[in-house]
Amino acid sequence: GQNIDQPTEMTATEGAIVQINCTYQTSGFNGLFWYQQHAGEAPTFLSYNVLDGLEEKGRFSSFLSRSKGYSYLLLKELQMKDSASYLCAVEGGATNKLIFGTGTLLAVQP
Amino acid sequence: DAGITQSPRHKVTETGTPVTLRCHQTENHRYMYWYRQDPGHGLRLIHYSYGVKDTDKGEVSDGYSVSRSKTEDFLLTLESATSSQTSVYFCAISDPANGGYEQYFGPGTRLTVT
């Protein structure tokens, strides 16, 4: 079966660092994506991991371990505007078809 | 931002009526997708297209049909709308043949079936 797990909600403080975890079990694996979605808006692409290791892009980094079926999104120097849902998605085998987790709602507090 | 528009942006319709949602792109991307998003379920793929007139089912395709007669347009039709199809519908595009594996999403259509 196909399963992607993320925490439902997280809270963090402005200026701090937060790590959002994602574990997956899929019938195939071509890559893992992270998306950000503000309330009432469309998801926007953050990162794409194919190989094991850390990909850094400004304040955001994403890590992948294919052997463990595990990824995390690391957000540094948190800002209030980072309050959003963060969606983990796996390309499970069929060309460019994504399986999404239910998302992690991050609340950044002053 | 990728050039993707959806119409209408909001629609209220009655049970049993047909409804068509339109997705239009100006990026000339080959792949197009329709998702629905519901609380507790995340984004779920309804149908997708990998070229003009080439479509396939996703995980929640029952009650939906699609058509793609030209690269830029992908239509989603609810043949006879039901209350369970009340949702937010997102269109997405991608261009994997040119290394663009990430999907870009349109602004969404909020559909309410009464």
Side-chain angles (χ1 to χ4, degrees):
Chain A
Q2 317 270 49
N3 192 48
I4 298 177
D5 286 319
Q6 314 178 225
T8 303
E9 296 181 354
M10 298 183 70
T11 302
T13 303
E14 191 176 16
I17 299 172
V18 71
Q19 178 176 311
I20 302 174
N21 296 325
C22 171
T23 58
Y24 63 89
Q25 291 179 304
T26 57
S27 56
F29 182 86
N30 290 335
L32 187 141
F33 298 79
W34 284 96
Y35 284 83
Q36 179 190 61
Q37 186 176 24
H38 286 101
E41 298 183 6
T44 56
F45 169 73
L46 289 178
S47 67
Y48 175 48
N49 293 71
V50 176
L51 302 176
D52 289 354
L54 188 68
E55 295 278 346
E56 297 186 76
K57 191 184 295 185
R59 294 190 298 115
F60 292 7
S61 302
S62 56
F63 171 84
L64 175 67
S65 169
R66 290 177 300 173
S67 62
K68 295 182 179 179
Y70 168 70
S71 173
Y72 67 74
L73 181 69
L74 194 70
L75 290 73
K76 304 176 185 176
E77 303 170 11
L78 280 171
Q79 302 175 10
M80 298 300 292
K81 68 178 182 180
D82 297 329
S83 293
S85 286
Y86 291 86
L87 315 179
C88 173
V90 172
E91 186 180 1
T95 302
N96 223 225
K97 287 175 66 174
L98 298 185
I99 304 159
F100 281 84
T102 53
T104 299
L105 182 60
L106 174 67
V108 179
Q109 298 179 339
Chain B
D1 292 342
I4 313 169
T5 57
Q6 293 184 230
S7 59
R9 294 292 314 279
H10 300 270
K11 186 170 182 65
V12 179
T13 192
E14 293 184 350
T15 297
T17 60
V19 177
T20 295
L21 308 183
R22 181 184 183 232
C23 177
H24 178 78
Q25 60 141 332
T26 58
E27 303 298 318
N28 201 34
H29 282 4
R30 181 179 172 190
Y31 281 70
M32 298 185 75
Y33 311 80
W34 277 107
Y35 291 89
R36 60 179 291 174
Q37 188 172 37
D38 305 287
H41 289 280
L43 281 158
R44 292 180 292 175
L45 182 66
I46 305 171
H47 283 280
Y48 71 103
S49 171
Y50 46 96
V52 173
K53 299 192 188 301
D54 292 323
T55 65
D56 204 351
K57 296 178 180 179
E59 62 179 307
V60 289
S61 59
D62 287 349
Y64 302 95
S65 63
V66 290
S67 66
R68 191 167 178 202
S69 58
K70 46 186 178 177
T71 300
E72 56 266 37
D73 288 327
F74 193 32
L75 303 180
L76 176 71
T77 297
L78 290 65
E79 303 291 347
S80 178
T82 67
S83 59
S84 65
Q85 294 176 311
T86 291
S87 186
V88 179
Y89 291 85
F90 287 102
C91 173
I93 65 174
S94 69
D95 192 24
N98 292 310
Y101 298 102
E102 64 272 23
Q103 295 183 16
Y104 293 97
F105 286 81
T109 294
R110 184 171 295 277
L111 177 68
T112 302
V113 183
T114 60

